Amino acid sequence: MNLLRKILRSPAACCGLMIILLLIICAIFAPWLAGQDPNWQNAAARLLPPESGHWLGTDAYGRDMLARLLYGTRPMLGMVLLVTAITLPIGLLIGILSGYYGGWTERVLMRFTDVVMSMPRLILAFAFVAMLGPGLINGALALALTTWPAYARQARTEIQKLRNSDYLSAAEMLGIRGFRLMWGHILPLCLPSAIVRLALDLAG
């Protein structure tokens, strides 16, 4: 309830929430909103401009662009959810462990992160798809496995600044250490910036 109140107080958050709800509605009600089969080809209706029968026109195969756009929200949202569920936990886990423990833990994890980050993301994703096979799930998995290093480095930088802060020192004085400290105190501090970065990356 408090989260909903905070969202309603922010015009930007309200706008973003409305856009997400609109996409979800389009995905759920695509068959009724589109009114046409998105894969139906009509050679006689190729490359038509927007008109009453085709609100966004047609493509080179005569397929209705509005129908394809509405049906496209389904795999798009599925890929976004899958990439988010993989990228964010892996990146934050490696970044928090590196920033909090430092030493050899940081060196090993960050060198592995640098190796993955140094490889061209798109080519690496193509290699994963070639090994795993085509498909939406494999494509999302390939993107997720090549995207997490940026989140790891960002989280590690933030934790390095916070590691010696009075906030974490006070928590440790109260006996909060290890996993409990990382989950309850460090993770909430890293999430806002990670979510902002994720929103920008998912559009790409």
Side-chain angles (χ1 to χ4, degrees), residues 30 33-42 45-72:
L33 294 174
Q36 301 186 42
D37 186 347
N39 297 315
W40 176 258
Q41 299 183 20
N42 184 2
R46 294 173 61 250
L47 302 174
L48 291 178
E51 56 183 18
S52 59
H54 305 282
W55 292 102
L56 294 180
T58 60
D59 64 4
Y61 297 97
R63 298 174 297 190
D64 185 74
M65 292 298 295
L66 179 60
R68 294 182 64 76
L69 186 65
L70 291 171
Y71 274 90

Side-chain angles (χ1 to χ4, degrees), residues 14 40 83:
C14 288
W40 176 258
V83 170

Side-chain angles (χ1 to χ4, degrees), residues 12-183:
C14 288
C15 183
L17 183 62
M18 289 175 62
I19 292 173
I20 293 173
L21 290 175
L22 179 62
L23 288 173
I24 293 173
I25 290 171
C26 288
I28 294 173
F29 298 103
W32 294 274
L33 294 174
Q36 301 186 42
D37 186 347
N39 297 315
W40 176 258
Q41 299 183 20
N42 184 2
R46 294 173 61 250
L47 302 174
L48 291 178
E51 56 183 18
S52 59
H54 305 282
W55 292 102
L56 294 180
T58 60
D59 64 4
Y61 297 97
R63 298 174 297 190
D64 185 74
M65 292 298 295
L66 179 60
R68 294 182 64 76
L69 186 65
L70 291 171
Y71 274 90
T73 56
R74 293 180 171 186
M76 183 271 293
L77 289 175
M79 177 171 282
V80 163
L81 290 174
L82 189 55
V83 170
T84 302
I86 299 173
T87 300
L88 209 56
I90 293 176
L92 289 178
L93 177 64
I94 291 178
I96 289 173
L97 290 175
S98 301
Y100 181 71
Y101 288 109
W104 280 105
T105 302
E106 180 184 11
R107 292 191 187 96
V108 172
L109 292 177
M110 283 298 103
R111 293 301 77 76
F112 175 66
T113 302
D114 291 339
V115 169
V116 178
M117 186 175 273
S118 67
M119 299 178 182
R121 183 184 300 179
L122 193 58
I123 295 176
L124 196 60
F126 283 153
F128 276 116
V129 171
M131 290 187 293
L132 300 173
L136 181 65
I137 294 178
N138 291 341
L141 183 62
L143 287 173
L145 293 176
T146 56
T147 306
W148 64 263
Y151 298 88
R153 293 192 69 86
Q154 179 176 307
R156 172 237 186 185
T157 302
E158 291 183 354
I159 298 307
Q160 282 184 326
K161 294 178 181 178
L162 295 169
R163 187 164 52 187
N164 298 321
S165 65
D166 294 338
Y167 172 73
L168 293 184
S169 298
E172 290 177 347
M173 287 175 63
L174 292 173
I176 303 172
R177 299 178 183 276
F179 177 78
R180 189 180 165 201
L181 179 68
M182 287 187 284
W183 175 261

